[in-house]
Amino acid sequence: MKLTQLFSDFEEELIRQGEEAESLSFVYRSLKNQSFTDFVFALQKKVTEEEKQFVEEIYKKLAEHIPAQYIIGYADFFGMQLKVDERVLIPRPETEELVYLILAENPKENLKILDIGTGSGAIALALAKNCPDWSVTAVDISQDALDLAIDNAKNQNLNIFFKKSDCFAEISEKYDIIVSNPPYISCEDESDVGLNVLHSEPHLALFADEDGLAIYRRIAEDAKDYLTDGGKIYLEIGYKQGQSVPAFFRKHLPDKRVRTLKDQFGQDRMVVVDDGQD
């Protein structure tokens, strides 16, 4: 049997399990550090027993709904390879759009940034890497997540201030930018979540009370005490929250401009709170 047939058989099984067929080749190439061209040539080779077992082990993990990034141990985000495992969510491309927006709208130097619910550290690290003059503080309620984020910061040679905090609970300073990609999925929307996400990624970082709005409400209620004059807030939101999240900030920060922006797929994805001078 050639490798191409083996892949075809396992990919069909993955589809039956509700998983993406492409995950098999992605994990295989990543673990073997193989280019796509090398992989295409390898597909025509006869399969050894050792190779068959290797592919089968990958298939079994994917069939158990373990995300591909957890299997290979990292995720790509904003030009960085970040360590990820069951302690944190896997960074998404939509979150990269939030980082691009922050960088585009804030060319100033020496800004102070607070990242609430940092998880793997993706947002904080991307901002620190692209703006080395910025002072970045990242907080999370999970010590396990912070431990992993600290490892990622060390691997990227970036100086981030990490603190365990439930939103602003342990924060005493003021910041020019507050950014957050908090848990925003309503428990009632559990059926909308992919099986590999639901079975493997931490529910603490996925689901929130109050129809997924609890953390946004808390940030909106307290943010004025932690923003500098002219300070801004950048949030990633769920695609159903383009009206409800801004309502919190219009209520609690009535002097600010509140914008809802769409992602590359045309879905409501970002909320920006600022003074409207840009």
Side-chain angles (χ1 to χ4, degrees), residues 132-186:
D133 290 330
W134 289 6
S135 173
V136 181
T137 297
V139 303
D140 203 288
I141 194 173
S142 166
Q143 186 61 52
D144 286 340
L146 285 173
D147 290 342
L148 187 144
I150 290 169
D151 285 345
N152 280 328
K154 289 178 180 176
N155 291 339
Q156 296 294 325
N157 295 314
L158 293 171
N159 185 25
I160 308 286
F161 301 100
F162 290 101
K163 183 186 289 282
K164 184 177 181 183
S165 182
D166 183 3
C167 286
F168 298 109
E170 304 299 324
I171 299 300
S172 58
E173 299 181 52
K174 293 193 174 188
Y175 296 87
D176 301 301
I177 294 174
I178 295 171
V179 58
S180 184
N181 176 20
Y184 56 66
I185 302 174
S186 168

Side-chain angles (χ1 to χ4, degrees), residues 5-220:
Q5 184 60 53
L6 182 65
F7 265 87
S8 179
D9 292 345
F10 280 129
E11 285 171 348
E12 287 181 11
E13 288 298 321
L14 281 176
I15 293 172
R16 292 193 189 98
Q17 298 287 341
E19 292 296 327
E20 295 181 357
E22 296 80 7
S23 297
L24 186 66
S25 60
F26 170 74
V27 174
Y28 178 89
R29 290 191 293 110
S30 298
L31 292 178
K32 285 191 169 281
N33 197 25
Q34 195 174 61
S35 70
F36 183 75
T37 302
D38 290 339
F39 172 68
V40 170
F41 282 118
L43 286 174
Q44 303 307 315
K45 295 180 180 179
K46 190 174 180 180
V47 179
T48 64
E49 187 60 31
E50 181 181 7
E51 192 78 351
K52 182 179 179 181
Q53 290 178 0
F54 182 72
V55 177
E56 186 172 6
E57 284 301 312
I58 297 172
Y59 160 76
K60 287 179 179 178
K61 291 178 180 179
L62 292 170
E64 291 171 359
H65 309 299
I66 299 174
Q69 289 87 347
Y70 286 173
I71 298 173
I72 66 175
Y74 67 87
D76 292 319
F77 185 84
F78 224 83
M80 302 177 290
Q81 276 194 355
L82 300 182
K83 179 180 177 182
V84 293
D85 58 30
E86 290 81 358
R87 292 174 286 178
V88 298
L89 291 186
I90 298 164
R92 266 63 174 185
E94 294 88 340
T95 307
E96 290 186 322
E97 295 186 58
L98 182 65
V99 174
Y100 277 115
L101 179 66
I102 295 170
L103 294 174
E105 292 190 350
N106 297 277
K108 297 179 182 178
E109 298 179 353
N110 303 317
L111 295 179
K112 288 183 64 177
I113 316 298
L114 176 64
D115 177 23
I116 296 175
T118 194
S120 66
I123 294 174
L125 293 167
L127 294 177
K129 186 162 189 172
N130 285 273
C131 296
D133 290 330
W134 289 6
S135 173
V136 181
T137 297
V139 303
D140 203 288
I141 194 173
S142 166
Q143 186 61 52
D144 286 340
L146 285 173
D147 290 342
L148 187 144
I150 290 169
D151 285 345
N152 280 328
K154 289 178 180 176
N155 291 339
Q156 296 294 325
N157 295 314
L158 293 171
N159 185 25
I160 308 286
F161 301 100
F162 290 101
K163 183 186 289 282
K164 184 177 181 183
S165 182
D166 183 3
C167 286
F168 298 109
E170 304 299 324
I171 299 300
S172 58
E173 299 181 52
K174 293 193 174 188
Y175 296 87
D176 301 301
I177 294 174
I178 295 171
V179 58
S180 184
N181 176 20
Y184 56 66
I185 302 174
S186 168
C187 295
E188 294 180 358
D189 290 335
E190 185 176 302
S191 60
D192 294 342
V193 180
L195 289 174
N196 59 354
V197 175
L198 189 61
H199 286 223
S200 298
E201 299 197 52
H203 285 201
L204 182 65
L206 286 169
F207 298 100
D209 294 334
E210 303 173 30
D211 294 327
L213 299 171
I215 308 302
Y216 299 112
R217 177 185 57 76
R218 293 177 60 191
I219 293 173

